[in-house]
Amino acid sequence: MALTQAEVREIGLIARLNLEDGAIEGLQEELNQILTYVEHMQELDLEGVAPTAYSTDFTDSLRDDVRVPSLPREAVLMNAPESKEGAFLVPRIKALGIEDSREDTAGGGS
Amino acid sequence: MSDTQKRLADTLPFMSATEVSALVTSKEVSAREVAHTMLDRIKQLDGDIHAYNEVTPELALAAADNLDKRIAEGATAEELGKLAGAPVAFKDNMNLVGTHTTCSSKMLEGFQSPYDCTAVRRLLDAHTLPLGKLNMDEFAFGSSTETSATGLTHNPWDHKRVPGGSSGGSAAAVSAGMATITLGSDTGGSIRQPAAFTGTVGLKPSYGRVSRYGCVAFASSLDQIGPFSHTVRDSALALGAIAGKDPLDATSMNVPAEDYFASCNQGVEGMRVAVATDLLEQEGLDPRLKKEVLDSAELLAGMGAEVVEITLPSTKYGLPAYYVLGPAEASSNMARFDGIRYGHRAENAEDILDLYMRSRSEGFGDETIRRIMIGTYVLSSGHYDSYYMQAQKVRTVIRDDYKAVFAQADVLLTPSTPVLPFKFGEFADDPTAMYLSDYYTIPVNMAGIAGMSLPTRLIDGLPASVQLVANHFRETDLFRAGAALESSFAFPYDSVPAGQA
């Protein structure tokens, strides 16, 4: 099942990647190469085989319900591209096509 | 340079951790001298090799002074342990306060470690000296360290060849005598394959043996941290230091570390060693590397082990299943890079979607984008069953195959890689061709068991190797067999051309 260029664009959108027009064809070819290779799996008869998500016999490991210190706020924010007053700054969020008309929203961004 | 300094500069790079700690704790050499000698060597050699993304003289000297002070105050060799004073370094996906953690990606350029990775902290708590952070394939996506955004790492045995990957810097640093022990991470072979290419010992512990807290995730059901070293005994010491339950990583298992160093002296009398006959007939396997496996089996038999022939028919499905599961988990893990909390942020974004899309595309390199795309596709609605679910079932088949092997044997002997180290750009046109270099290592991650690559001999001046595989939490068997083989082969790791006078 070969991927079309439209599908490559669609996956790019889902993955939140801004793919240049010039890159689509190359990616299409490479992704199809990989998917063709992966098809070898289908040779195996896997009828009735249960899937394995974790390789070890993993059991939930719960910690004691005690409060422990978390990272200090400075450490959390020190790598933020933009922050202000102890918070991350993000651009305005347009929801459902309804544009926020206020000029100065919190976290107006760049 | 005094005679003592010169002697140290000549011998230190290829000393074992035990030798270094004996020198330091007996006050024959100070930890500070050890740090200085190694930092000088890095300065002298790393311009050509580029194993390091960042060198940390302040951290190394501070740790050295700390150790020297303890020794001056009367701390004994026994209290300080066999790693005291050993120069170490870390793959650049592991956090250490005071260093950057870039994953060799433009996305994390300038990222400062906000806390310590548990494995890193544990190795440093054994009084080792941190020399810096090591180059890797971008976010560990690759098998040659060529996808790094900080430049190529050269194989110390032949500068025209790759050091393997993704932990190429970790491998090259030990190989060139620019660290005694380094840590890498292994998702599909990223410790064992570069170890094989550089003549070093590389260990991927069992899934759950070592905490991954503070190591940037690639594929969370496969990733495991492990050491590179010149010797099997150093590998044993390093695992002893980093292994064990960590409350900060729920996947680390509550299985106490064992005395791996003692296992190295146990011998192989009565051990059952499996050789997979079908794997040795695999197309693409260099016959010279096949011979290393057969010779290793003979050597072990000569030392009292029993060799059993088995087959592992599921191996050939490991790679295709891995190239579904790895990217699927990676695409999910990589979603955290959004240009908001850390990492590269695109300028003048119109809105939040534009910010996400441009920040990610600008920050990620080609192979990272390729893997995210594959992962997103196989997880997307309508394709999940035919790819992801299918791959999870293949994983069951692989796991059952190994179960059958370990019902009859203690360790399995296979090639580490089908080929000797390749040249730069050799697989530039076909991403799947390079994936084949992880043919023998990937199924081990899929089953969550333990594997070690061990150097054997030089073939045309390039390191050859074998892989030892053991069942879940049976690393002791790897050390028994590994130490026995190491003493038989006596691989000449100190004859590496890089840095020879």
Side-chain angles (χ1 to χ4, degrees):
Chain A
M1 172 177 22
L3 281 178
T4 65
Q5 295 197 9
E7 283 174 304
V8 173
R9 280 177 212 279
E10 174 67 21
I11 302 163
L13 181 65
I14 300 171
R16 298 291 185 253
L17 291 166
N18 188 31
L19 306 173
E20 303 282 333
D21 284 345
I24 298 284
E25 202 178 324
L27 257 176
Q28 182 196 14
E29 194 182 320
E30 287 163 357
L31 298 185
N32 278 324
Q33 257 177 1
I34 297 170
L35 290 175
T36 307
Y37 181 71
V38 158
E39 288 293 321
H40 288 299
M41 269 188 332
Q42 315 293 351
E43 294 165 12
L44 270 174
D45 178 14
L46 297 169
E47 190 69 38
V49 175
T52 295
Y54 266 100
S55 51
T56 40
D57 296 323
F58 184 77
T59 48
D60 280 342
S61 106
L62 301 177
R63 66 170 172 84
D64 294 336
D65 192 15
V66 287
R67 247 195 301 183
V68 290
S70 52
L71 277 185
R73 182 180 279 176
E74 311 82 72
V76 174
L77 288 173
M78 73 187 193
N79 288 294
E82 283 188 80
S83 65
K84 193 176 168 183
E85 294 167 14
F88 297 106
L89 281 187
V90 295
R92 179 177 303 171
I93 293 169
K94 286 183 271 186
L96 305 166
I98 305 162
E99 191 143 359
D100 191 332
S101 60
R102 283 172 297 171
E103 282 300 308
D104 184 25
T105 49
S110 43
Chain B
M1 202 188 276
S2 74
D3 281 357
T4 333
Q5 279 171 329
K6 180 147 187 349
R7 205 175 325 123
L8 192 63
D10 288 344
T11 54
L12 184 63
F14 298 100
M15 267 183 207
S16 67
T18 30
E19 289 171 309
V20 177
S21 68
L23 277 183
V24 171
T25 54
S26 67
K27 298 188 200 176
E28 212 168 304
V29 171
S30 70
R32 186 164 252 272
E33 285 171 284
V34 169
H36 270 304
T37 306
M38 294 303 280
L39 291 165
D40 284 348
R41 185 170 171 91
I42 294 168
K43 213 176 275 173
Q44 180 201 336
L45 292 185
D46 205 43
D48 290 338
I49 293 175
H50 185 45
Y52 282 85
N53 276 350
E54 180 177 11
V55 184
T56 53
E58 299 83 8
L59 295 182
L61 293 171
D65 289 348
N66 233 339
L67 176 57
D68 284 334
K69 189 163 161 272
R70 291 280 308 270
I71 294 166
E73 287 166 358
T76 63
E78 201 161 52
E79 282 162 14
L80 296 168
K82 290 189 175 73
L83 291 169
V88 300
F90 308 102
K91 187 174 182 176
D92 207 7
N93 59 356
M94 297 177 207
N95 282 277
L96 168 61
V97 171
T99 71
H100 296 95
T101 300
T102 74
C103 292
S104 292
S105 177
K106 206 179 141 195
M107 178 58 87
L108 285 177
E109 195 176 356
F111 181 93
Q112 302 173 58
S113 309
Y115 52 84
D116 290 342
C117 169
T118 299
V120 168
R121 179 40 48 208
R122 287 182 176 173
L123 191 59
L124 293 178
D125 284 348
H127 311 290
T128 58
L129 316 179
L131 299 177
K133 303 292 281 293
L134 301 157
N135 198 14
M136 55 189 281
D137 278 296
E138 184 183 11
F139 287 108
F141 301 140
S143 307
S144 62
T145 314
E146 287 169 291
T147 70
S148 165
T150 74
L152 301 174
T153 295
H154 297 266
N155 191 317
W157 293 91
D158 177 352
H159 283 206
K160 292 191 293 296
R161 291 174 194 273
V162 305
S166 66
S167 311
S170 304
V174 169
S175 168
M178 296 192 290
T180 306
I181 292 168
T182 60
L183 294 184
S185 59
D186 189 316
T187 306
S190 283
I191 291 173
R192 290 157 291 155
Q193 185 257 27
F197 279 10
T198 56
T200 52
V201 177
L203 173 74
K204 186 207 86 77
S206 307
Y207 188 83
R209 176 66 90 182
V210 179
S211 164
R212 293 97 46 91
Y213 178 72
C215 178
V216 178
F218 165 174
S220 305
S221 81
L222 304 165
D223 296 344
Q224 192 61 197
I225 293 174
F228 288 87
S229 55
H230 295 299
T231 69
V232 173
R233 281 175 175 75
D234 279 2
S235 185
L237 289 173
L239 180 64
I242 64 176
K245 177 73 185 165
D246 173 14
L248 298 172
D249 177 359
T251 68
S252 66
M253 305 276 273
N254 200 3
V255 181
E258 290 151 277
D259 189 345
Y260 305 114
F261 195 77
S263 304
C264 297
N265 299 324
Q266 231 181 312
V268 295
E269 183 77 48
M271 254 190 133
R272 297 164 306 162
V273 178
V275 175
T277 48
D278 53 344
L279 295 194
L280 297 180
E281 298 313 317
Q282 178 57 37
E283 192 190 330
L285 171 63
D286 186 323
R288 297 170 298 180
L289 291 174
K290 172 180 172 179
K291 186 171 180 294
E292 296 306 278
V293 174
L294 295 174
D295 287 357
S296 299
E298 211 175 296
L299 283 167
L300 290 170
M303 289 182 275
E306 178 199 343
V307 175
V308 285
E309 291 192 347
I310 54 101
T311 57
L312 265 171
S314 65
T315 299
K316 65 175 169 174
Y317 302 107
L319 255 172
Y322 175 80
Y323 275 91
V324 171
L325 296 178
E329 293 186 26
S331 71
S332 164
N333 274 321
M334 300 306 284
R336 74 194 56 186
F337 298 100
D338 55 6
I340 291 173
R341 293 161 300 160
Y342 40 72
H344 174 75
R345 178 176 216 164
E347 284 179 7
N348 305 318
E350 279 172 30
D351 56 26
I352 193 81
L353 184 62
D354 186 45
L355 178 81
Y356 288 154
M357 302 214 15
R358 287 202 288 118
S359 299
R360 287 164 63 77
S361 311
E362 290 168 13
F364 292 143
D366 291 347
E367 181 67 19
T368 302
I369 286 178
R370 213 177 276 151
R371 303 246 185 151
I372 293 174
M373 292 287 287
I374 284 288
T376 306
Y377 177 70
V378 299
L379 289 176
S380 64
S381 161
H383 304 290
Y384 182 87
D385 281 344
S386 49
Y387 291 107
Y388 193 75
M389 188 55 81
Q390 191 83 355
Q392 298 270 54
K393 290 179 180 174
V394 172
R395 199 167 177 175
T396 308
V397 174
I398 291 173
R399 205 184 147 181
D400 290 347
D401 253 12
Y402 280 115
K403 266 189 193 153
V405 169
F406 291 118
Q408 317 167 50
D410 302 304
V411 291
L412 167 69
L413 194 54
T414 79
S416 298
T417 65
V419 290
L420 291 168
F422 47 84
K423 291 185 175 151
F424 290 106
E426 213 168 308
F427 298 113
D429 298 334
D430 181 1
T432 54
M434 186 172 358
Y435 296 169
L436 283 172
S437 70
D438 297 325
Y439 187 89
Y440 295 108
T441 49
I442 278 173
V444 175
N445 299 74
M446 302 279 274
I449 53 185
M452 171 192 279
S453 178
L454 184 82
T456 51
R457 289 179 278 224
L458 290 174
I459 295 177
D460 295 339
L462 296 172
S465 59
V466 292
Q467 176 179 231
L468 290 161
V469 181
N471 211 349
H472 289 124
F473 295 95
R474 294 295 306 179
E475 285 85 354
T476 46
D477 290 331
L478 296 182
F479 290 117
R480 279 181 72 186
L485 277 180
E486 177 181 57
S487 63
S488 306
F489 280 113
F491 180 79
Y493 54 82
D494 56 354
S495 71
V496 66
Q500 296 291 338

